[in-house]
Amino acid sequence: MEYKKFEYPSFNLYTVKTNRFKTCQMEIIFKEEARREDVMLKTFLADLMSDCSHKYHSRKDVARYLEELYQASFYGLTNKTGNLMMTSFILNFLNPEYVNDANYLDHVLELPFEMILNPAIEAKEFDIKNFNVVKNRLYDEILSVGENISRVSLKKALEKLDSKSPTSYGVLGTVEELENISPKTLADAYQDLITSNCDIYVIGDLDMDQVANIIFKYFKNPVVKTKELPDLYVSNPAFKRVRSFSEKSKFLETNLVQLYSLDDLTEKERITTLYFYNFLLGGGGLNTKLYQLLREKNSLCYGVKSVYLKYDNLLLIQTSINKNDVKKAQRLIKQAFLEMKKGEFSEEELQNAKESFIFSLNLSLDNPGGILNNYVFHILDHLPLIEDRIKMIEEITKEEIVAVASKIKPNISFVLEGEEDHGNN
C-alpha cells in the first residue's frame, strides 16, 4: 500500500493506493471539540445533508443518481471520540477501471461536495419537508434506545461518572433536544460545521494525483483552518472509593454497570496491553474470567462483557442479572480483577488472544473501510498501521499484562434495578 498526503488551505487529503479491491472509498471528516449542546445538532445535520441538496431535492433523487453511478453509496454519520466530535460523509464507489465512462471518477467524486457545499438551505433555513423526514426518523431511533436496558443503564452510569464530561455525551441526544431543533438552528449549525477542521481520506486503485486535482476542483471551501482542537483523550480521574448508585426502572431485569479509571497508561499500554488485559478479563467471549465466574460457575447471567474505552480512559463491565444477585456479582467481578493482578491466566490463553487479535486485524485488511479507519486513527492519534500493530501484538508478554492491572482503579458501580425477581438465569 502506498500512502500519500496532500495539503490544501482548508483541508488535508490522505490517500491509500492499493489494488486489493474493486471498490474505492472516500471519507470526508469534520472535526471539532465535543460540546453537549452540539451533539444532537450534528447528528441531525449529518443525516439531513446526505439526504438532499439544492441539486438533489430528496433522498429519492440522491438514490436515483447513486444508481446511475454504478450503485455507489453515500451517507453521513457522527461519532464522538474522546474530546472530539467527528461528522463524516462517506462515499463508496466502483473502481473506474470497471466502468465504461471516461468521466466516471469526476462525476462520482463531485457528488459529496455538492451535498456538503450546497445544502437545501433557503433564507437561512433548511427545507422543511426534508427536515421533518429526518426528524421523524431520529425520533424513532431515540425511542428505540429507551427500550434497550443495556443502552439506558450505560447512559445513566456515564452521567453519574460526570455529567459534564464528554464521555457522557451520547451522539443521538434526547427527545427534548430534538424538539428544540428548528430549520433555522440547524442552518446555523451547518455554518459551524463547515468552518471546522476537515480531513479527507481516499482508498483504492486510483491515480491519487488525479483524485487530488478533482477534489480540489469541487471542494471550494474558502475557510482556512484556524481552530485548535483539544487533546483527544478525556481525563476521567479516579476516586479513592467506589461511588455506588442505584435507580429503579420499568424493565423486568436488572443491569449492572461498573466503570474503572485507567491511571497514567504508557503509549504501548494504551495501544496494545490494555486490549489484551480486557480480552482475557471479559472481552474475549466464553473463556474469559468474567464469563467463567458469573455465567459458567455461578449461573448469574446469560452474558457479561468488558469494554476498553480507550479515548475515555475507562474500562467498562456490564451484565444483566437478578436484582438479588447484585452483591454476589460485584464480589465475583472483584475476584476476576484480583486473579488478573496475580497473573492467574496461562500462556496458552495469551497465545489464543494474540491469534484472535491478529485474525481480526487481518480481516480489517480485507475491506477498504477497515484499512481507511486504521489510517484515520494513524493520523489522528499516531496509531501504528495494521502491519506494525501485528508485530507489537506478537511481542506482548504476560508480565506486561499483569503490570497494567495496577493502573486500573474502580470508579462507578451503577445498578439499574428491574421490577421483578425472576430467578437465576
Side-chain angles (χ1 to χ4, degrees):
M1 285 182 283
E2 179 184 340
Y3 300 91
K4 198 169 183 178
K5 177 182 179 180
F6 301 82
E7 293 188 56
Y8 295 100
S10 59
F11 66 94
N12 290 325
L13 169 64
Y14 300 92
T15 64
V16 185
K17 183 175 175 61
T18 175
N19 60 5
R20 299 185 64 171
F21 313 107
K22 291 184 178 181
T23 58
C24 308
Q25 183 168 318
M26 176 167 72
E27 185 164 353
I28 304 161
I29 304 174
F30 293 93
K31 309 187 301 293
E32 56 194 315
E33 181 178 359
R35 299 183 295 267
R36 182 179 291 279
E37 63 271 20
D38 290 345
V39 172
M40 188 73 249
L41 282 164
K42 295 303 165 56
T43 297
F44 200 139
L45 198 57
D47 265 16
L48 186 53
M49 288 174 62
S50 55
D51 267 15
C52 60
S53 71
H54 272 299
K55 186 175 182 179
Y56 304 102
H57 299 147
S58 68
R59 185 64 194 175
K60 188 175 181 179
D61 293 335
V62 177
R64 187 180 296 115
Y65 186 56
L66 288 169
E67 285 184 14
E68 294 176 14
L69 295 171
Y70 295 84
Q71 303 296 325
S73 68
F74 176 70
Y75 58 95
L77 55 83
T78 53
N79 178 46
K80 189 203 70 66
T81 301
N83 281 311
L84 287 186
M85 184 75 182
M86 297 194 288
T87 305
S88 303
F89 297 94
I90 297 145
L91 173 74
N92 293 288
F93 58 98
L94 192 62
N95 188 321
E97 179 182 341
Y98 304 102
V99 175
N100 293 320
D101 180 355
N103 296 315
Y104 173 73
L105 185 61
D106 192 281
H107 292 157
V108 76
L109 292 181
E110 178 189 14
L111 175 63
F113 302 109
E114 158 63 25
M115 307 298 288
I116 292 169
L117 296 179
N118 298 301
I121 296 176
E122 293 287 352
K124 298 183 179 181
E125 292 189 0
F126 268 97
D127 165 67
I128 188 63
K129 183 178 179 180
N130 286 293
F131 175 92
N132 284 332
V133 168
V134 173
K135 181 178 179 179
N136 290 335
R137 190 162 66 219
L138 290 172
Y139 181 81
D140 290 340
E141 288 182 32
I142 293 170
L143 291 184
S144 70
V145 170
E147 298 303 318
N148 185 306
I149 186 173
S150 295
R151 296 180 72 174
V152 171
S153 59
L154 178 57
K155 183 176 186 296
K156 288 178 176 292
L158 292 174
E159 288 173 350
K160 297 294 185 184
L161 177 77
D162 183 354
S163 62
K164 296 181 180 179
S165 168
T167 299
S168 69
Y169 303 170
V171 294
L172 200 52
T174 66
V175 168
E176 292 74 22
E177 289 169 339
L178 180 62
E179 291 295 342
N180 286 331
I181 296 175
S182 68
K184 172 66 169 63
T185 58
L186 203 60
D188 293 340
Y190 168 76
Q191 295 300 326
D192 181 59
L193 175 74
I194 206 67
T195 59
S196 59
N197 293 58
C198 181
D199 289 327
I200 301 175
Y201 295 82
V202 178
I203 184 171
D205 189 12
L206 302 165
D207 179 341
M208 293 305 180
D209 290 320
Q210 180 187 11
V211 167
N213 288 335
I214 293 172
I215 290 174
F216 187 62
K217 177 172 69 172
Y218 290 118
F219 194 27
K220 294 300 185 182
N221 183 4
V223 178
V224 177
K225 298 179 299 247
T226 57
K227 289 185 178 180
E228 289 291 327
L229 294 175
D231 179 62
L232 187 56
Y233 290 86
V234 177
S235 176
N236 284 305
F239 289 79
K240 291 183 178 180
R241 295 181 180 179
V242 179
R243 295 176 294 158
S244 297
F245 302 92
S246 179
E247 287 186 20
K248 295 188 180 297
S249 77
K250 64 179 181 180
F251 298 101
L252 295 180
E253 59 189 335
T254 292
N255 199 266
L256 170 65
V257 177
Q258 306 229 134
L259 296 171
Y260 300 79
S261 297
L262 306 175
D263 184 32
D264 196 27
L265 297 181
T266 66
E267 183 178 6
K268 183 177 182 182
E269 288 169 342
R270 278 178 168 170
I271 293 172
T272 306
T273 315
L274 228 302
Y275 281 104
F276 276 93
Y277 179 96
N278 177 65
F279 187 95
L280 295 167
L281 177 69
L286 305 184
N287 294 317
T288 63
K289 287 199 174 293
L290 289 174
Y291 189 87
Q292 289 297 311
L293 284 170
L294 273 70
R295 171 62 182 171
E296 291 297 311
K297 295 180 180 179
N298 290 279
S299 300
L300 296 188
C301 59
Y302 286 117
V304 58
K305 67 178 180 180
S306 64
V307 181
Y308 171 34
L309 304 175
K310 178 182 177 182
Y311 295 104
D312 295 293
N313 279 308
L314 294 173
L315 186 70
L316 155 74
I317 294 174
Q318 186 171 29
T319 185
S320 287
I321 52 177
N322 185 303
K323 65 182 179 182
N324 294 325
D325 290 328
V326 169
K327 290 188 181 299
K328 186 175 182 179
Q330 290 170 330
R331 287 197 303 270
L332 292 172
I333 291 170
K334 189 175 181 179
Q335 180 182 332
F337 276 99
L338 182 60
E339 290 180 8
M340 289 296 295
K341 201 168 187 177
K342 291 179 177 179
E344 294 180 9
F345 55 91
S346 67
E347 290 289 350
E348 181 181 2
E349 288 175 302
L350 176 55
Q351 185 58 37
N352 289 339
K354 288 182 179 182
E355 291 174 1
S356 178
F357 269 89
I358 291 171
F359 178 75
S360 296
L361 288 175
N362 282 328
L363 274 183
S364 69
L365 286 170
D366 288 338
N367 68 87
I371 296 172
L372 209 59
N373 184 65
N374 180 250
Y375 194 38
V376 168
F377 283 92
H378 176 70
I379 300 301
L380 192 64
D381 188 36
H382 309 293
L383 181 69
L385 296 172
I386 292 175
E387 300 89 338
D388 298 322
R389 290 175 70 190
I390 289 174
K391 293 177 184 176
M392 293 177 69
I393 285 170
E394 291 170 342
E395 296 170 356
I396 198 75
T397 67
K398 181 175 180 178
E399 290 72 22
E400 288 173 319
I401 296 171
V402 171
V404 83
S406 63
K407 297 185 176 184
I408 302 171
K409 311 294 184 182
N411 193 324
I412 288 285
S413 180
F414 177 79
V415 179
L416 189 63
E417 189 175 301
E419 292 182 344
E420 292 185 7
D421 177 359
H422 45 97
N424 288 348
N425 291 311

